[in-house]
Amino acid sequence: GANNTADTTQNGDGIISSFPSFRMQPIDDDMVLGFAHFGGFMAAAETPQYGVWNSTLSSPNGLSGGIQETGPLVWFDSDMRNSLVLSALTKHMAINDDTTHSSSSSPSLPEYRIGLSGNISSVPVGEEYAFILTLTRNGGGVNRAMYEWGSRQLQYHGVRRRGDAHAADYTLRYLGYSTDNGAYYYYHTPTGQNYQQTMVEVAAYHRSVGLPTRWVLLDSWWYFKGANGGVKNWSARADVFPDGLAYVAAQTGWRIQAHNRYWSTDNVYAEKFPFSCSSYDCLPQTKEFWQWLFDANQDWQLTVYEQDWLSVTQ
């Protein structure tokens, strides 16, 4: 084993081991490779990382890694007939990826590397991790490559696919109404109305025009927040739903997809269940907490639990 291994120069964004690593250059001058890196906030949805794989790494947003930006990396050829996906296979939360860059003192080609996170301060004897490199051939592009990569992750960890996702997920089978970021009623209601009145009226309007909505997504505006904007109490605020979520479900006829953020350091559940907390947020440590949470919230047509903000968890 090893002690005092943390790299304090990069705030945990570096790595303390390096395997595997790849030089950022094509195999030959006639081969053009592209890349897409699914790391960062919302898997890089807001700041996508993609471009041409070469020593200059021409990309709109570069190739970032570290605590907040690590994720699967896809290489693909110019006609997208062949794709490679590289990522951690085990110990996902302990792994960073990063890039090195050439300088006057180190003129070598830049590299892309995977290794143990730079904030790990000790490594036990026998500690190991595995990575996965998958090849997808004969077309399908990035989408097919990521699907096959995910299938192999599931296979390795002994998790079987449970049939057709569309058949199992109510929100994929039926039309719903969203109050997510960008929606008209995202942190907004008509003057003088609360969300309970607003959602009941929206559902009534949908019925009047024959719009067959069957569920609603309630975003982060409905529950109690605590320290650092995290979730203090995952229950409906009285100023939002005065009669509770069961009333809203009954009045609208909608099932509910309910949003959740990271747990705050002052969340009310830490008194009953073990949590591991940083200065920013907390993580529940046992499955008993989740079982209790879902059991306690079955009376208001909770159909999908949406765990958001994982990219900021520390």
Side-chain angles (χ1 to χ4, degrees), residues 86-189:
L86 175 68
S87 77
L89 179 61
T90 62
K91 308 290 178 65
H92 297 81
M93 301 301 291
I95 302 300
N96 278 359
D97 58 18
D98 79 345
T99 57
T100 64
H101 300 282
S102 59
S103 63
S104 57
S105 60
S106 179
S108 61
L109 286 168
E111 294 181 350
Y112 170 79
R113 310 180 302 176
I114 293 180
L116 292 172
S117 173
N119 63 355
I120 295 175
S121 58
S122 64
V123 181
V125 174
E127 181 71 9
E128 61 182 32
Y129 69 91
F131 71 94
I132 180 172
L133 181 66
T134 64
L135 169 64
T136 299
R137 305 184 65 184
N138 302 317
V142 173
N143 286 350
R144 182 180 162 211
M146 288 297 292
Y147 184 89
E148 293 185 358
W149 163 82
S151 295
R152 291 186 176 97
Q153 288 263 2
L154 293 174
Q155 181 181 12
Y156 178 86
H157 291 284
V159 179
R160 64 181 179 87
R161 291 191 180 276
R162 299 182 181 273
D164 181 5
H166 282 77
D169 191 329
Y170 192 86
T171 63
L172 294 177
R173 289 159 51 204
Y174 300 108
L175 184 66
Y177 184 75
S178 175
T179 64
D180 202 345
N181 190 1
Y184 186 75
Y185 291 125
Y186 176 71
Y187 284 89
H188 166 72
T189 59

Side-chain angles (χ1 to χ4, degrees), residues 33-61:
L33 295 178
F35 76 89
H37 186 233
F38 295 93
F41 186 70
M42 303 292 184
E46 294 190 354
T47 54
Q49 301 174 29
Y50 63 91
V52 178
W53 184 261
N54 55 30
S55 59
T56 60
L57 206 64
S58 58
S59 166
N61 291 295

Side-chain angles (χ1 to χ4, degrees), residues 15-32:
I15 56 177
I16 59 172
S17 64
S18 177
F19 183 80
S21 61
F22 298 87
R23 287 184 174 176
M24 294 178 178
Q25 66 177 137
I27 297 174
D28 58 61
D29 294 337
D30 296 326
M31 177 178 289
V32 178

